[in-house]
């Protein structure tokens, strides 16, 4: 495994050419921040992350976090607590949050770039700040002033970490099946009891306190998602003067033994084993699911970003190996000499695939993050609404496609390493194992496809998605004007957009008639739609590359061209799967599907 | 106690560097970062100022094209201000000329009692500038410090040697060069980075320093780079079969290198 080198220039390229950083920094919300400051901060963070967080990635995988059943405590791997203390001291966790709560007041986009580095450096470690960020996001939006004053500041600084407690054994993707109970007390608090599973960093030794956000039902709550409320349940109660008080009745009774992200403790949390854990209602009763949805876009984007981050790290490992390892004789190489494997066309194919996918993912994630900032802070309400719609359409793409491609790219890294790639000692399998969860959590990729088909295609009666297609097709004139070098991209993109649009329209028409038909083709449709968006952004990358020129421009143009002419045409093979309908999938009975 | 740290801004060593065949010097037209060798001096200075219960740390630098990125890093670590001398006439200046310019800039810092430098830069490696600065300023010079303490106007330095360390003391003001790796330079915090934006950064020209233009630049040096060559490719190592005498051969090899 090579040392992680934060791809500062690749990130800067996206920030300078795919998003409008100057316009973003000019918004009132980001007063005093300019592009130079933001890029300068990224550079310092990159050095810190590469030198402090990345080196403990492998030891984290080998040791994992360990649960002590005698004390119900969790010990994180060697170096984690110290690195986290340095992370808190440096104040990186608060960068994209409001100065009113001691945050840095930077755009969400800047937070996304920081998150790319930390997730590439050490995904398991990054989950502590990531979950804290999600909890902050929800509290900021829906918490009372009193709750915010008591908890938020020290979560923004990172002194305290946060968790999200949704899942229970019978309530996974189906959150409405949650059974954890919350009984109101005379002092306005609630007593929480129940068991939560899959709680990331639910217990650990890196911070003084852990602020759990817990979904639970009050005694008279209606069934399903309409009866879920959200509570703050701190590990240690917090006194009025801000000091830590009694230990709450919330303990980690075990942690999971996982395929990847082994240093990130995935906890079984038991609330109320001794009478009830004290919890404080966020907002109003029965509004918990609605609150969750307000942070869901950010959380899903962050998971999509993990796909990008691991793919970037895996690409660096693959490239480093390909320019060191000699095997075989490449066509045209002198006889009797072993060639570097990077000279073999098939290895080049894999490297180009990885590199162009990484760039396409980065474009998608950063453009979506810019959309989140504009949807929140642009002065014009119409722009805010349009950007919110754009983000809604792109979230399933960012989450599902980037994580699917994260698995693909980390797998290709193993392939380039050959036999050594299958050996854990090389460090390369870790990225693949770590990546594998990303297609599952925060809404499985199947659920993302259902989200696209069931919710997103119907935005504004179907007009929203068709307008996005018009926007994407609108790049044709610019590509034509840029000269013959972009002809290949232009033709491939136009063909792909036509093909994807036709499948989207098929789904919109036939899905209304029988939702099963739409759902049967949802995953291939999301793949097609993602490829279309990725191709469009790669075409924008190509335009920018021509303008930039030089070595960097040449490289960016070449990868964009590879993507559009060799990867994007996959869409043409997916249409049949989209329009096949549910018939062939449901034809056999469940019994007939058994092996015999 | 006010402390000056000489801070060189160099091309990022992680990027492949290139020599200009015309001038036979390193190309410095790209981004410049704070030389890692100088981070130890900055860290040492910040610790000394904290131990003294006050005083400012000032960075002094000479760099082309008004480049300030490296200085911003030092300011983000906690230095209070910086002085940069940048002038097209300084291109090609040798070590002694550099020392004259830095000494002049140091002279402009109010109440500077202690001047810290690296033992040598990571791109030029002449390793002579600290002592030259001391001579020009008429100050004592102590080299290769592994630790520094200041008490009652006296500097106590543990000075690294091949055999161990010397304990040296001398009165303020003085120039001390700090050995790389003896302290752990702090990483700039996010707040430090933001604060660095608004810290004073004086930019001086050659004329502002009062240094004679004839003693700097391509023509001012008493030296000339007559040729540059690629480093020789690494030769194949020595391989011998271990017939039981392997240990002796390894020891002899290391003894020859004066490692054991």
């Amino acid at each position: 495994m090579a040392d992680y080198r934060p791809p500062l220039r690749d990130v800067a390229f996206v920030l300078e050419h795919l998003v409008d950083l100057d316009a973003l920094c000019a918004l009132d919300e980001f007063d005093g921040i300019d592009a130079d400051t933001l890029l300068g901060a990224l550079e310092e963070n990159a050095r810190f992350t590469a030198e402090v967080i990345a080196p403990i990635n492998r030891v984290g995988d080998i040791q994992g976090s360990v649960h002590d059943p005698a004390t119900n405590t969790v010990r994180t791997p060697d170096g984690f607590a110290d690195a986290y203390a340095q992370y808190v001291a440096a104040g990186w966790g608060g960068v994209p949050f409001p100065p009113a709560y001691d945050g840095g007041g930077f755009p969400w986009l800047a937070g996304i770039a920081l998150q790319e580095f930390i997730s590439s450096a050490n995904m398991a470690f990054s989950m502590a700040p990531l979950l804290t960020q999600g909890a902050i996001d929800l509290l900021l939006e829906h918490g009372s002033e009193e709750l915010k004053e008591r908890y938020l500041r020290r979560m923004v600084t990172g002194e305290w970490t946060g968790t999200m407690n949704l899942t229970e054994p019978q309530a996974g993707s189906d959150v409405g099946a949650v059974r954890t109970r919350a009984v109101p007390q005379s002092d306005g608090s609630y007593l929480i009891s129940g068991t939560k599973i899959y709680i990331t960093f639910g217990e650990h030794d890196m911070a003084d306190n852990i602020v759990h956000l817990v979904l639970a039902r009050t005694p008279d709550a209606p069934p399903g998602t309409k009866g879920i409320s959200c509570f703050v349940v701190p590990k240690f109660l917090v006194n009025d003067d801000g000091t830590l008080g009694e230990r709450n009745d919330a303990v980690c009774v075990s942690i999971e033994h996982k395929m990847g992200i082994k240093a990130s403790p995935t906890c079984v949390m038991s609330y109320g084993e001794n009478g009830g854990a004290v919890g404080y209602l966020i907002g109003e009763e029965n509004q918990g699911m609605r609150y969750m949805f307000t942070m869901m876009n950010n959380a899903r984007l962050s998971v999509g970003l993990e796909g990008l981050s691991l793919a970037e790290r895996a690409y660096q490992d693959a490239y480093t190996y390909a320019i060191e390892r000699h095997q075989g004789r490449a066509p045209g190489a002198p006889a009797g000499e072993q060639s570097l494997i990077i000279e073999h066309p098939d290895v080049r194919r894999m490297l180009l695939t990885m590199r162009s996918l990484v760039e396409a993912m980065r474009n998608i994630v950063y453009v979506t993050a810019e959309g989140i900032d504009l949807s929140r802070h642009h002065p014009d309400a119409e722009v805010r609404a349009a950007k919110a719609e754009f983000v809604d359409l792109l979230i399933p793409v960012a989450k599902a496609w980037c994580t699917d491609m994260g698995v693909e790219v980390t797998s290709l890294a193993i392939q380039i390493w050959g036999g050594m790639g299958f050996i854990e000692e090389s460090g390369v399998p870790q990225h693949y194992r770590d990546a594998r969860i990303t297609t599952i959590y925060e809404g499985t990729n199947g659920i993302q496809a259902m989200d696209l088909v069931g919710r997103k295609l119907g935005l504004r009666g179907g007009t929203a998605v068709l307008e996005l297609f018009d926007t994407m097709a609108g790049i044709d004139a610019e590509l034509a004007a840029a000269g013959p070098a972009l002809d290949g991209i232009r033709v491939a993109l136009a063909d792909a957009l036509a093909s994807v649009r036709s499948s989207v329209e098929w789904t919109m028409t036939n899905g209304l008639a029988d939702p099963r038909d739409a759902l049967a083709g949802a995953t291939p449709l999301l793949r097609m739609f993602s490829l279309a968006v990725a191709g469009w952004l790669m075409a924008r990358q190509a335009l920018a590359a021509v303008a930039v020129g030089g070595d960097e421009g040449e490289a960016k143009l070449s990868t964009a061209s590879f993507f559009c002419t060799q990867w994007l045409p996959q869409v043409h093979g997916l249409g049949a799967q989209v329009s096949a309908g549910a018939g062939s999938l449901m034809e056999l009975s469940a019994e007939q599907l058994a092996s015999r | 106690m006010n402390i000056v740290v000489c801070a060189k801004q160099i091309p990022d060593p992680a990027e492949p560097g290139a020599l200009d065949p015309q001038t036979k010097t390193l190309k410095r037209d790209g981004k410049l970062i704070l030389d890692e060798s100088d981070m130890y001096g900055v860290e040492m200075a910040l610790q000394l100022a904290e131990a003294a219960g006050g005083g400012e740390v000032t960075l002094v630098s000479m760099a082309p094209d008004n480049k300030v990125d490296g200085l911003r890093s030092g300011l983000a670590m906690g230095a209070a201000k910086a002085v940069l001398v940048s002038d097209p006439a300084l291109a090609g200046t040798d070590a002694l000329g550099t020392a004259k310019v830095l000494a002049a800039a140091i002279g402009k810092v109010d109440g500077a009692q202690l001047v810290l430098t690296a033992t040598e830069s990571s791109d030029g490696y002449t390793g002579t500038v600290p002592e030259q600065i001391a001579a020009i300023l008429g100050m004592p010079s102590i080299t290769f410090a592994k630790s520094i303490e200041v008490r009652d106007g006296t500097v106590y330095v543990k000075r690294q040697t091949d055999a161990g360390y010397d304990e040296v003391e001398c009165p303020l003001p003085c120039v001390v060069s700090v050995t790389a790796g003896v302290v752990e330079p702090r990483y700039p915090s996010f707040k430090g980075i933001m604060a660095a934006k608004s810290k004073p950064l004086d930019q001086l020209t050659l004329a502002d320093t009062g240094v004679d233009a004839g003693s700097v630049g391509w023509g001012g040096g008493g030296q000339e780079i007559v040729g540059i060559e690629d480093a020789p490719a690494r030769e194949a190592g020595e391989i011998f079969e271990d017939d039981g005498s392997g240990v002796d051969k390894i020891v002899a090899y290391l003894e020859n290198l004066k490692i054991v």
Side-chain angles (χ1 to χ4, degrees):
Chain A
M1 181 164 54
D3 288 344
Y4 172 56
R5 284 165 287 111
L8 280 164
R9 280 180 51 184
D10 286 337
V11 168
F13 185 91
V14 178
L15 294 177
E16 283 160 6
H17 303 294
L18 270 289
V19 301
D20 191 343
L21 193 53
D22 289 331
L24 193 59
C25 289
L27 298 181
D28 288 348
E29 183 77 13
F30 307 123
D31 189 33
I33 296 164
D34 54 40
D36 269 358
T37 307
L38 195 150
L39 292 169
L42 290 187
E43 279 176 30
E44 291 291 359
N45 172 271
R47 192 162 67 82
F48 170 81
T49 306
E51 292 175 9
V52 177
I53 313 289
I56 52 174
N57 189 40
R58 178 102 174 98
V59 72
D61 189 52
I62 293 168
Q63 293 184 352
S65 278
V66 179
H67 178 256
D68 177 359
T71 56
N72 280 333
T73 55
V74 170
R75 185 164 42 80
T76 54
D78 292 348
F80 270 56
D82 177 55
Y84 188 73
Q86 290 189 58
Y87 176 87
V88 172
W92 289 115
V95 171
F97 292 109
Y101 294 97
D102 293 345
F106 270 44
W108 197 253
L109 178 62
I112 284 288
L114 298 178
Q115 202 189 315
E116 177 187 330
F117 298 154
I118 196 172
S119 303
S120 286
N122 191 333
M123 176 167 155
F125 181 94
S126 78
M127 311 268 314
L130 178 62
L131 271 290
T132 306
Q133 180 179 297
I136 292 170
D137 220 18
L138 194 147
L139 265 176
L140 259 179
E141 191 78 21
H142 304 290
S144 65
E145 279 313 311
E146 201 214 328
L147 276 182
K148 286 197 244 187
E149 276 306 319
R150 200 169 288 236
Y151 294 98
L152 217 40
R153 240 172 264 284
R154 276 175 282 186
M155 293 169 75
V156 169
T157 61
E159 289 163 271
W160 297 351
T161 61
T163 70
M164 305 299 289
N165 291 239
L166 284 72
T167 304
E168 298 176 12
Q170 77 294 343
S173 297
D174 185 3
V175 183
V178 157
R179 282 189 206 136
T180 295
R181 287 172 52 81
V183 180
Q185 305 298 297
S186 54
D187 65 355
S189 69
Y190 290 74
L191 281 183
I192 313 289
S193 55
T195 301
K196 293 285 181 180
I197 62 170
Y198 298 164
I199 308 309
T200 300
F201 276 94
E203 172 63 29
H204 59 83
D205 53 4
M206 307 194 318
D208 294 339
N209 202 4
I210 303 172
V211 180
H212 304 289
L213 300 194
V214 181
L215 293 188
R217 287 182 188 286
T218 49
D220 49 359
T225 53
K226 289 188 169 60
I228 291 177
S229 305
C230 185
F231 299 88
V232 169
V233 185
K235 175 179 171 183
F236 287 98
L237 301 181
V238 178
N239 300 323
D240 289 342
D241 63 0
T243 55
L244 294 185
E246 267 179 64
R247 179 74 165 85
N248 209 349
D249 185 7
V251 293
C252 166
V253 292
S254 69
I255 65 173
E256 308 295 344
H257 301 275
K258 308 190 296 296
M259 173 179 175
I261 53 168
K262 295 184 181 195
S264 164
T266 301
C267 302
V268 177
M269 296 298 298
S270 181
Y271 293 92
E273 283 190 1
N274 295 298
V278 179
Y280 309 96
L281 180 69
I282 296 175
E284 295 168 25
E285 284 187 9
N286 300 330
Q287 297 296 315
M289 273 316 280
R290 190 169 67 78
Y291 301 159
M292 283 291 155
F293 268 99
T294 59
M295 57 145 286
M296 203 167 282
N297 275 350
N298 290 352
R300 289 181 169 177
L301 180 62
S302 290
V303 172
L305 175 63
E306 290 175 342
L308 159 65
S309 293
L310 291 167
E312 167 68 38
R313 185 81 193 262
Y315 176 69
Q316 292 188 11
D317 279 351
Y319 171 79
T320 306
Y321 192 67
I323 56 166
E324 283 174 0
R325 171 75 171 164
H326 290 87
Q327 279 297 279
R329 188 164 70 91
E337 269 182 31
Q338 279 191 322
S339 302
L340 287 169
I341 61 170
I342 198 169
E343 300 304 335
H344 292 289
D346 191 58
V347 174
R348 279 294 176 112
R349 176 190 61 77
M350 289 190 276
L351 284 173
L352 254 292
T353 300
M354 296 168 81
R355 186 179 168 85
S356 64
L357 286 172
V358 165
E359 288 181 2
M361 285 186 243
R362 189 173 286 120
N363 293 344
I364 287 172
V365 169
Y366 284 57
V367 164
T368 307
E370 178 197 34
I372 288 176
D373 281 316
L374 292 170
S375 73
R376 287 173 171 177
H377 305 303
H378 197 280
D380 183 340
E382 273 184 38
V383 175
R384 287 201 302 275
K387 285 296 166 184
E389 200 175 76
F390 176 75
V391 169
D392 280 346
L393 281 167
L394 256 67
I395 285 295
V397 172
K399 198 282 171 179
W401 192 72
C402 292
T403 57
D404 280 343
M405 294 307 105
V407 172
E408 174 86 21
V409 171
T410 52
S411 175
L412 281 171
I414 293 173
Q415 194 69 21
I416 286 179
W417 275 68
M420 260 317 280
F422 196 63
I423 310 292
E424 286 289 352
E425 204 181 327
S426 71
V428 183
Q430 185 187 348
H431 308 316
Y432 179 68
R433 289 186 286 98
D434 285 352
R436 197 59 190 81
I437 184 61
T438 60
T439 67
I440 299 166
Y441 62 20
E442 207 50 50
T444 66
N445 286 3
I447 285 177
Q448 303 303 319
M450 290 161 65
D451 178 52
L452 176 74
V453 166
R455 290 202 188 92
K456 306 299 171 65
L457 293 189
L459 288 173
R460 263 197 298 135
T463 315
V465 69
L466 296 179
E467 280 179 6
L468 177 60
F469 273 100
D470 292 342
T471 303
M472 295 195 287
I475 200 173
D476 192 78
E478 279 178 82
L479 292 169
L486 300 190
D487 267 359
I489 293 176
R490 188 174 68 82
V491 171
L493 180 64
D495 285 353
L497 286 175
S499 181
V500 178
R501 182 172 182 140
S502 139
S503 287
V504 165
E505 287 173 346
W506 185 94
T507 303
M508 294 196 325
T509 311
N510 293 277
L512 286 177
D514 186 347
R516 283 186 309 172
D517 284 341
L519 292 173
T523 289
L525 185 75
L526 176 53
R527 175 61 58 91
M528 290 180 83
F529 183 61
S530 301
L531 285 164
V533 172
W536 167 55
L537 293 177
M538 276 306 222
R540 284 178 51 190
Q541 170 172 324
L543 287 169
V546 170
V548 168
D551 191 45
E552 186 179 29
E554 190 185 359
K556 293 289 176 197
L557 176 58
S558 183
T559 43
S561 183
F562 175 88
F563 184 88
C564 289
T565 60
Q566 297 189 41
W567 193 262
L568 181 56
Q570 288 178 19
V571 294
H572 303 300
L574 291 166
Q577 223 183 335
V578 171
S579 58
S584 61
L585 300 184
M586 309 309 259
E587 200 168 78
L588 299 180
S589 68
E591 291 73 26
Q592 282 177 295
L593 282 171
S595 295
R596 52 186 90 214
Chain B
M1 182 177 62
N2 289 338
I3 305 169
V4 169
V5 183
C6 294
K8 190 167 184 183
Q9 303 177 84
I10 65 169
D12 189 342
E15 304 276 327
L19 292 167
D20 184 335
Q22 228 61 57
T23 64
K24 305 188 183 72
T25 56
L26 188 64
K27 286 188 185 171
R28 295 171 188 281
D29 46 357
K31 185 180 165 66
L32 300 182
I33 65 170
L34 181 60
D35 188 345
E36 189 187 328
S37 316
D38 289 322
M39 289 185 184
Y40 305 102
V42 175
E43 178 61 40
M44 195 79 101
L46 293 170
Q47 289 184 12
L48 286 170
E50 282 157 19
E56 278 186 344
V57 175
T58 305
L59 308 175
V60 169
S61 187
M62 180 177 111
D65 307 324
N66 296 304
K67 295 277 175 64
V68 298
D69 284 341
L71 290 177
R72 290 278 179 225
S73 291
L75 292 170
M77 285 173 74
K81 59 187 200 292
V83 180
L84 172 70
V85 187
S86 193
D87 198 307
L90 288 169
T93 299
D94 66 0
L96 182 57
T98 304
K100 287 175 184 167
V101 171
L102 291 177
I106 292 165
K108 292 190 177 295
V109 178
D110 280 343
Q113 293 161 292
L114 177 63
V115 179
L116 298 186
T117 69
T119 55
E120 60 185 358
S121 63
S122 309
D123 60 344
Y125 290 110
T126 64
T128 56
V129 172
E131 297 73 31
Q132 291 168 338
I133 291 174
I136 293 164
L137 292 174
M139 291 183 189
S141 159
I142 303 175
T143 54
F144 294 98
K146 61 177 278 189
S147 74
I148 306 175
E149 262 186 80
V150 179
R151 290 194 304 271
D152 304 326
T154 301
V155 182
Y156 301 86
V157 171
K158 287 183 180 162
R159 183 182 174 280
Q160 212 149 35
T161 67
D162 286 345
Y165 60 86
D166 299 332
E167 291 187 358
V168 182
E169 55 183 83
C170 94
L172 289 172
C174 64
V175 179
V176 182
S177 72
V178 177
T179 309
V182 297
V183 282
E184 182 124 347
R186 66 195 66 187
Y187 290 96
S189 69
F190 175 67
K191 284 204 168 90
I193 293 163
M194 296 307 284
K197 273 190 355 164
S198 48
K199 287 182 175 173
L201 203 162
D202 286 345
Q203 307 214 12
L204 307 180
T205 62
L206 177 60
D208 295 333
T209 65
V211 173
D212 173 18
S215 66
V216 296
W218 295 114
Q223 66 177 40
E224 187 190 348
I225 303 169
V226 293
I228 45 174
E229 280 175 42
D230 287 337
R234 199 165 55 175
E235 288 169 21
E238 196 182 339
I239 298 174
F240 50 82
E241 297 286 321
D242 183 11
D243 55 5
S245 65
V247 171
D248 295 338
K249 283 183 176 156
I250 290 171
V251 170
Y253 180 78
L254 295 177
E255 273 176 346
N256 191 36
L257 291 176
K258 298 199 175 358
I259 291 173
V260 293

